[in-house]
């Protein structure tokens, strides 16, 4: 070999150039793939959001008081539901004092 | 020697080139490293395709409990690019096979034209979309568009309004949302599909809205009324908890809105509401101090003003105290209170109560009251009991809320508002002391007066009836009435104000009269019975009642 030093430098440089080119190529492909995956994810998210809002709309339509009332009216022989009355609302103290009164009355008897 | 010299020269140049290369690569490498070290900033969403730009997105509208009242749904619309269509005849044939409703002649003309883009059919179903897609015609495609859907249906039609085919609001809150900035956002392309916008929350309660509407439709049927209006306001903040006007329309079918009968009477219908105006006259009498609760007023004889004579419907023909004037709804007595207040002060009070100005809420709709131009003596007298002045039901409900809530008025709102905010935007119309006296009068009227049928056990409803004869050609009609009942509950500390107006109710079977006490008042009672528990108004009973009731509840199965 006439110039061993020169050959060695050339070889190292070539290898470095090829390797870096290859690495850059792979990185570029990776980045492209990731970008694609990201946009895919964004699309999925947007689709999911759309689906959620559709479901919410559907739920609101199903949960509409007018619809519930019609259903209750139709099946009330089974459900036996009625609107709550003011008389049915009481707080704990009222019930406790009533219970005490009742116990006292029973004690007197 | 010479060769050697040139050899070193070449060598030096090569070395220089290598160094330069190394330097450039080093620079690029270094820059790559610094780029790699930087923290990655997430891109703001995906890039939009041009097709996303053509459609505007709108925020959801939800009620105070989060029930969706209006939302966007995706639908497909069919378009063609006539320039790219190769065989027009084939395309027309195939398309009209799948979509028979398309006009063949128009379709052929459209496809044969030289235009770049033409809509063929907006909003087609998923099934049809699939079938058109399978035809595989070049130059025919779909764009996903959003369509507005109203799960609330007719219950909230007058409040949310509706949109046109391009998703721009044309009525109700939809239109207000557009004019409050969304239109501008859409114009610069910021409000597009996929961008989530914060939903618009209303003060409305869908459950209450439905209950009010349901009771109104029953009342309309029962009393054969032409129309009915029901309003529930939060007495302290004047938030609109419910506003219903029957007949109404379904925003999913906006063509119905063109029908005049289905207009929103609560905001755009003006009526001479009659005796409920005695609320305002009595309040101004008490507030100015010209009368007090027990001041005697001479109601023995009809009152003559010029060529007019004011009579009482249930004439007592004796001296009445102010509270009796209110209880028996005496026109003579009320006109005399108004006369004592004076014409100027009467107008000032009505103005501060908002009864002279257009009703300004967040909705674009809102009627101007019909106020007489000249304020003659007779005008002052008739206005005192609600004739000669026509206002919308919302005007009356808001003014009454101000009279009963301690004296603070502000325009009613469809958006949530706290009491603190209310104090900032509101202004005082009467003193708290006058307001307290008015609450006493309302209590009296619902317990001993014409509003007895509005009583609901536990909810302490107070109210005032109004049976007004409708203005007809050259005077007032005797058989066509506007009946109203203005109520607040619980009247000792009002939380909600309710107004029901029935247009031309007929007497029930077996009854000869159709006064407000017989139809509007029981309607209010039905409404309060249903909405009281929903609105967390704690029912109260007398002590004895509470105990026996509690025993019953405690030992119920």
């Amino acid at each position: 070999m006439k110039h061993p030093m020169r050959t060695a430098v050339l070889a190292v440089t070539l290898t470095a150039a090829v390797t870096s080119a290859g690495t850059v190529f792979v990185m570029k492909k990776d980045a492209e793939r990731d970008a694609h995956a990201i946009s895919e994810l964004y699309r999925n998210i947007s689709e999911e959001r759309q689906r959620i809002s559709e479901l919410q709309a559907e739920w609101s339509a199903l949960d509409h008081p007018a619809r519930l009332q019609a259903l209750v009216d139709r099946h009330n022989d089974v459900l036996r539901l009625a609107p709550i009355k003011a008389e049915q609302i009481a707080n704990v103290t009222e019930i406790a004092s009533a219970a005490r009164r009742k116990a006292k009355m029973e004690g007197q008897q | 020697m010479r060769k050697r010299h040139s050899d070193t020269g070449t060598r030096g140049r090569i070395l220089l080139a290598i160094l330069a290369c190394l330097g450039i690569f080093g620079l690029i490498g270094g820059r790559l490293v610094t780029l790699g070290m930087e923290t990655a900033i997430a891109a703001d969403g995906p890039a939009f395709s041009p097709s996303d730009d053509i459609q505007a997105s709108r925020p959801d509208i939800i009620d105070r409990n989060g029930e969706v009242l209006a939302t966007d749904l995706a639908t497909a619309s069919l378009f063609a690019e006539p320039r790219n269509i190769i065989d027009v005849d084939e395309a027309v044939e195939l398309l009209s096979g799948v979509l028979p409703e398309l006009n063949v002649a128009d379709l052929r003309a459209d496809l044969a034209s030289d235009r770049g883009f033409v809509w063929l059919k907006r909003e087609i179903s998923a099934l049809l979309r699939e079938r058109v897609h399978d035809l595989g015609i070049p130059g025919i495609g779909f764009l996903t568009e959003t369509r507005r859907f109203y799960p609330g249906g007719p219950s909230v039609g007058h409040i949310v309004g509706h949109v046109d085919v391009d998703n721009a609001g044309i009525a109700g809150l939809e239109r207000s949302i557009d004019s409050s900035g969304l239109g501008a956002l859409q114009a610069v392309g910021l409000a597009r599909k996929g961008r989530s916008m914060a939903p618009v929350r209303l003060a409305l309660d869908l459950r209450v809205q439905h209950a009010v509407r349901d009771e109104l439709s029953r009342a309309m049927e029962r009393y054969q009324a032409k129309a009915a209006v029901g309003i529930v306001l939060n007495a302290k903040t004047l938030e609109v908890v419910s506003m219903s006007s029957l007949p109404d329309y379904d925003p999913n079918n906006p063509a119905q809105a063109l029908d005049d009968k289905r207009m929103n009477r609560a905001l755009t219908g003006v009526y001479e509401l009659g005796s409920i105006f005695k609320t305002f006259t009595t309040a101004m009498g008490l507030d100015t101090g010209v009368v007090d609760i027990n001041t005697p007023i001479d109601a023995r004889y009809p009152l003559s003003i010029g060529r007019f004579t004011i009579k009482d419907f249930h004439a007592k023909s004796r001296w009445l105290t102010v509270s009796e004037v209110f209880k028996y709804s005496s026109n003579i007595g009320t006109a005399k209170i108004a006369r004592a207040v004076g014409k100027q002060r009467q107008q000032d009070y009505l103005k501060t109560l908002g009864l002279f100005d257009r009703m300004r809420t967040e909705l674009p709709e809102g009627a101007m009251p019909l106020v007489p131009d000249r304020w003659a003596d007779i005008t002052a007298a008739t206005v005192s009991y609600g004739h000669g002045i026509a206002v919308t039901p919302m005007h009356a409900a808001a003014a009454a809320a101000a009279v009963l809530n301690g004296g603070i008025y502000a325009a009613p709102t469809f958006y949530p508002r706290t009491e603190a905010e209310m104090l900032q935007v509101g202004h005082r119309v009467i003193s708290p002391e006058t307001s307290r006296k008015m609450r006493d009068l309302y209590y009296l009227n619902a317990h001993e007066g014409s509003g007895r049928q509005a009583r609901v056990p536990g909810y302490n409803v107070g109210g005032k009836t109004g049976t007004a004869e409708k203005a007809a050609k050259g005077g007032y009609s005797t058989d066509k009435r506007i009946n109203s009942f203005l109520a607040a509950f619980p009247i000792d500390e009002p939380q909600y104000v309710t107004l029901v107006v029935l247009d031309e109710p007929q007497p029930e079977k077996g009854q000869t009269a159709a006064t407000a006490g017989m139809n509007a008042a029981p309607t209010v009672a039905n409404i309060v019975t249903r909405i009281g528990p929903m609105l967390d108004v704690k029912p109260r009973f007398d002590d004895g009642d509470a105990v026996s009731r509690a025993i019953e509840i405690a030992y119920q199965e």
Side-chain angles (χ1 to χ4, degrees), chain B residues 17-305:
Chain B
I18 288 172
L19 278 178
C21 281
L22 276 179
I24 291 167
F25 274 108
L27 214 66
I28 293 171
R31 179 69 185 134
L32 277 176
V33 170
T34 54
L35 279 178
M37 302 289 278
E38 270 174 30
T39 47
I41 298 157
D44 184 20
F48 285 95
S49 66
S51 70
D52 292 332
D53 278 332
I54 59 131
Q55 53 157 65
S57 139
R58 310 182 60 80
D60 286 358
I61 301 178
I62 58 175
D63 84 337
R64 69 186 309 138
N65 303 313
E67 290 282 348
V68 179
L69 304 179
T71 189
D72 281 343
L73 287 186
T75 54
S77 285
L78 184 66
F79 70 89
E81 293 164 319
R83 273 182 216 159
N84 298 341
I85 292 179
I86 301 155
D87 187 345
V88 174
D89 289 332
E90 189 202 4
V92 169
E93 198 177 311
L94 288 173
L95 277 176
S96 52
V98 176
L99 301 162
E101 64 272 30
L102 288 178
N103 183 323
V104 177
D106 286 353
L107 183 64
R108 189 180 301 275
D110 275 343
L111 297 189
S113 71
D114 198 27
R115 282 188 286 172
F117 183 92
V118 58
W119 285 117
L120 295 182
K121 190 163 167 51
R122 306 288 284 262
E123 293 173 8
I124 67 173
S125 69
L127 188 74
L128 280 178
R129 181 195 163 136
E130 202 59 36
R131 286 175 59 188
V132 174
H133 185 82
D134 289 346
L135 295 176
I137 310 168
I140 302 278
F142 295 97
L143 282 178
T144 340
E145 282 195 295
T146 51
R147 188 175 64 86
R148 207 62 168 153
F149 174 58
Y150 300 94
S155 301
V156 291
H158 283 134
I159 297 169
V160 295
H162 56 273
V163 295
D164 62 11
V165 72
D166 286 319
N167 237 13
I170 50 175
L173 275 172
E174 294 278 27
R175 187 164 160 199
S176 313
I177 293 170
D178 277 7
S179 51
S180 69
L182 181 71
L185 277 182
Q186 285 171 344
V188 298
L190 280 174
R192 285 182 301 201
K193 185 176 70 174
R195 305 236 168 169
S196 47
M197 273 176 283
V200 176
R201 183 178 288 269
L202 304 187
L204 184 90
D205 188 319
L206 183 63
R207 301 167 303 165
V208 176
Q209 177 75 7
H210 166 71
V212 170
R213 183 173 181 272
D214 193 43
E215 289 303 334
L216 284 181
S217 63
R218 280 177 207 205
M220 262 177 76
E221 198 177 321
R222 186 166 169 192
Y223 309 113
Q224 287 152 34
K226 268 173 58 185
V229 174
I231 294 172
V232 178
L233 293 180
N234 183 319
K236 300 219 173 66
T237 60
L238 271 85
E239 293 165 284
V240 181
V241 179
S242 165
M243 179 186 82
S244 228
S245 165
L246 292 178
D248 51 13
Y249 77 100
D250 187 345
N252 295 308
N253 181 9
Q256 288 181 344
L258 300 173
D259 187 353
D260 272 351
K261 285 197 203 94
R262 299 178 187 275
M263 72 168 192
N264 181 3
R265 290 172 165 80
L267 280 175
T268 57
V270 292
Y271 302 100
E272 296 186 21
L273 287 171
S275 301
I276 58 174
F277 258 69
K278 288 171 185 159
T279 308
F280 313 130
T281 310
T282 312
M284 63 182 83
L286 295 171
D287 200 51
T288 49
V290 295
V291 289
D292 199 12
I293 289 285
N294 295 318
T295 309
I297 288 173
D298 182 3
R300 284 177 298 174
Y301 313 107
L303 183 64
S304 291
I305 299 176

Side-chain angles (χ1 to χ4, degrees), chain B residues 288-324:
Chain B
T288 49
V290 295
V291 289
D292 199 12
I293 289 285
N294 295 318
T295 309
I297 288 173
D298 182 3
R300 284 177 298 174
Y301 313 107
L303 183 64
S304 291
I305 299 176
R307 58 195 176 86
F308 302 97
T309 308
I310 292 168
K311 285 180 239 160
D312 276 353
F313 190 62
H314 308 284
K316 293 285 160 195
S317 304
R318 61 175 170 89
W319 284 78
L320 300 171
T321 64
V322 168
S323 62
E324 281 173 327

